[in-house]
Amino acid sequence: MKKILLFTVAALLATFFIDRAYSERNQAQLESQLVDEINKTKEETKSDYAVIDFNELFDFNWDEVYVFGPEASVKDVNKELGFKWSDATLNSVLNSQENVVVFVENKQITQYIKVPVDYGTIIPKESVVKKANN
């Protein structure tokens, strides 16, 4: 019985650490993809902000996209989302040096991407907002 319990605990811990490593790698990949698009867009338009078509950039599922600046508070984010994003998670996400792009599907966070403020203002393309809300 002890061997089964030990094996089960070891398997759960391994799954947790593999999932965490995958999630961190995925976050880094999404951030890199978005930063590349921001730089390309800003260079093309010669402006200090980037209008991004998230539908074209990412292929995961989402209904709505939100961009929160570094001044956003937990209260502001939850109010804008229309539901409470776990405070423990949100407190570790919000940072005065980063913008946070949040993707929501069925009132749940599907992905979020943190982008340093050095890359400027990020604006979802008008078509993204309309498509996402349909």
Side-chain angles (χ1 to χ4, degrees), residues 11-103:
L12 288 172
L13 286 173
T15 302
F16 171 77
F17 287 114
I18 290 170
D19 182 54
R20 184 179 173 115
Y22 173 77
S23 179
E24 288 173 358
R25 188 177 66 231
N26 189 39
Q27 287 289 325
Q29 182 181 8
L30 293 174
E31 181 183 327
S32 175
Q33 221 176 325
L34 180 54
V35 165
D36 289 347
E37 186 67 17
I38 290 168
N39 288 334
K40 183 178 107 180
T41 302
K42 285 171 56 177
E43 187 176 304
E44 289 172 356
T45 61
K46 307 284 189 236
S47 63
D48 59 349
Y49 62 89
V51 177
I52 305 294
D53 187 341
F54 291 102
N55 282 321
E56 293 293 322
L57 190 58
F58 299 120
D59 62 357
F60 52 83
N61 294 332
W62 54 275
D63 299 323
E64 299 172 311
V65 62
Y66 300 87
V67 179
F68 298 104
E71 71 287 344
S73 70
V74 171
K75 184 178 178 182
D76 295 335
V77 171
N78 286 333
K79 182 178 179 183
E80 186 68 27
L81 292 174
F83 61 91
K84 187 176 180 181
W85 186 1
S86 167
D87 285 346
T89 302
L90 190 52
N91 283 327
S92 66
V93 170
L94 292 180
N95 180 322
S96 64
Q97 301 301 310
E98 296 173 316
N99 293 304
V100 180
V101 181
V102 179
F103 298 89

